[in-house]
Amino acid sequence: MKLARFARIRIAHAPTPLEPMQRLTQVLGGPNLWIKRDDCTGLATGGNKTRKLEYLMADALAMGADTVITQGATQSNHARQTAAIAARLGLQCHLVLEDRTGYRHDDYRNSGNVLLDRLFGAQLSEVAAGTDMDAAMARLAGRLRDDGRRPYVIPGGGSNAIGALGYVTCALELAEQANNAGLAIDTLVVATGSAGTQAGLVAGLEGARAGIPVLGIGVRAAKAAQEEKVMQLAEQTAELLGVAGAVKREAVVANCDYVGEGYGVPTPGMIEAVTLVARTEGILLDPVYSGKAMAGLIDLVRKGRLRKGQNVVFLHTGGAVGLYGYLHAFPAI
Ligand SMILES: *Cc1c(COP(=O)(O)O)cnc(C)c1O
């Protein structure tokens, strides 16, 4: 794979640790559980968008941009990490935030990621749920260009083939860590939303013939749509890397049984997972992505689909700052 030829800004604290989760393993009584700590990428409380932004921001700079635009839900972790890296590079940052949940709680609208977006000096604009976000960003880019600025538009979640390169890098990093630890990984579990993370992982692992299967746990779309989205982006990423055709359709698997009522809407399984991992491992998950992905992992262990004797790695994609936007969802326990 021709990974090294792509421009990259080194900002993530990597390699992120690969650690055993001994107490959670014991409590669940199933497979050996490990955690890959991409919540510790170091940029503004970390998370998976940092690795994507290493490639996206390098591309923005190469194009002479002085401004970046991106979009997400109100409590977007991607928006927060983009705002932080833009501040660090001295670029103006515009965030178009979709009121996807309609929540009116003060914590949701002002705390968590929103507080940090403002601290990093980003310019926030809110649009109604269901808005065509790409069109909204294109309109904003047009206005900024009329004002003499040079905007670079980053898609939601940083999920295009350039952003996905960040997770090709992570795939290679994880494969090396597993080799060094003598760890044969049976399943890599990861939250999947805008699809760049899973697509990059699959492209990297398949491109390297690493033999590590990936299981995405969906947070928004239904299974068929999510797998289609991941597959398309994985194919584009493989093509960009010069290994077109490396990703077989069977390598793209998403389980979308843990979304609940919708994106960003808490579920009892998420609350249980966030609480259990906090109390067994001292690790913070998030309410929108990693909490639901872990709820899926826990349920699949209980159903015997992930079994004793197997080695399962959970990719922690970050987002714990979002907990402060969801105070209202956590019962006083
Ligand atoms: C964005 C995000 C994800 C999902 O990653 P995608 O590349 O959008 O699929 C998972 N976890 C957290 C915490 C995120 O912020």
Side-chain angles (χ1 to χ4, degrees):
M1 290 185 290
K2 302 174 191 162
L3 188 56
R5 71 174 165 162
F6 295 98
R8 176 183 179 191
I9 291 167
R10 294 301 181 113
I11 202 161
H13 297 183
T16 57
L18 174 64
E19 301 171 335
M21 293 195 285
Q22 278 162 354
R23 294 200 65 230
L24 185 63
T25 295
Q26 206 172 23
V27 166
L28 294 178
N32 302 313
L33 300 175
W34 294 71
I35 189 163
K36 169 77 172 152
R37 298 295 302 271
D38 268 23
D39 57 320
C40 299
T41 51
L43 177 71
T45 76
N48 61 335
K49 304 312 179 307
T50 306
R51 290 188 193 264
K52 300 179 181 182
L53 287 164
E54 286 193 334
Y55 290 95
L56 290 162
M57 296 304 274
D59 192 46
L61 293 182
M63 299 192 30
D66 60 8
T67 302
V68 289
I69 301 172
T70 198
Q71 61 100 349
T74 305
Q75 281 292 336
S76 166
N77 302 300
H78 164 66
R80 178 248 311 162
Q81 286 163 86
T82 304
I85 200 166
R88 173 112 156 221
L89 297 173
L91 303 189
Q92 218 182 67
C93 177
H94 292 257
L95 304 174
V96 185
L97 299 179
E98 181 187 5
D99 185 16
R100 214 177 281 168
T101 63
Y103 290 153
R104 286 282 144 320
H105 310 83
D106 187 52
D107 54 351
Y108 185 79
R109 306 185 64 77
N110 291 300
S111 187
N113 286 294
V114 180
L115 169 70
L116 301 193
D117 294 342
R118 291 180 180 141
L119 269 180
F120 293 126
Q123 311 217 11
L124 279 55
S125 52
E126 190 185 72
V127 298
T131 297
D132 180 336
M133 299 302 283
D134 288 336
M137 289 198 293
R139 275 196 303 275
L140 176 57
R143 285 201 299 275
L144 289 166
R145 257 182 236 113
D146 291 344
D147 290 346
R149 305 215 52 103
R150 295 177 60 87
Y152 180 89
V153 176
I154 297 174
S159 286
N160 56 20
I162 294 174
L165 294 175
Y167 273 85
V168 174
T169 298
C170 179
L172 301 180
E173 182 181 301
L174 175 65
E176 187 184 340
Q177 286 173 317
N179 286 345
N180 291 341
L183 179 69
I185 300 173
D186 294 293
T187 307
L188 173 61
V189 176
V190 62
T192 183
S194 66
T197 303
Q198 187 176 359
L201 288 171
V202 169
L205 293 170
E206 293 298 299
R209 302 271 183 266
I212 300 176
V214 179
L215 173 61
I217 307 280
V219 299
R220 188 174 187 186
K223 181 181 174 72
Q226 187 65 24
E227 289 184 345
E228 182 57 30
K229 193 157 71 160
V230 174
M231 183 64 201
Q232 275 187 18
L233 188 49
E235 275 179 327
Q236 289 166 17
T237 308
E239 210 166 295
L240 189 63
L241 287 164
V243 289
V247 179
K248 298 195 181 52
R249 180 61 186 83
E250 312 84 76
V252 173
V253 183
N255 179 329
C256 298
D257 295 344
Y258 303 95
V259 177
E261 279 174 44
Y263 174 89
V265 179
T267 61
M270 178 280 287
I271 300 278
E272 188 209 358
V274 170
T275 308
L276 183 63
V277 173
R279 293 181 184 185
T280 53
E281 296 293 337
I283 289 174
L284 296 173
L285 300 176
D286 86 280
V288 178
Y289 297 94
S290 55
K292 285 186 178 175
M294 183 59 82
L297 184 155
I298 291 169
D299 188 57
L300 294 172
V301 171
R302 288 180 178 152
K303 287 182 169 146
R305 303 253 304 274
L306 298 171
R307 292 181 306 279
K308 221 180 171 76
Q310 294 182 327
N311 294 309
V312 174
V313 175
F314 181 78
L315 178 66
H316 188 166
T317 44
V321 161
L323 287 170
Y324 304 104
Y326 278 82
L327 291 180
H328 60 277
F330 283 80
I333 39 175

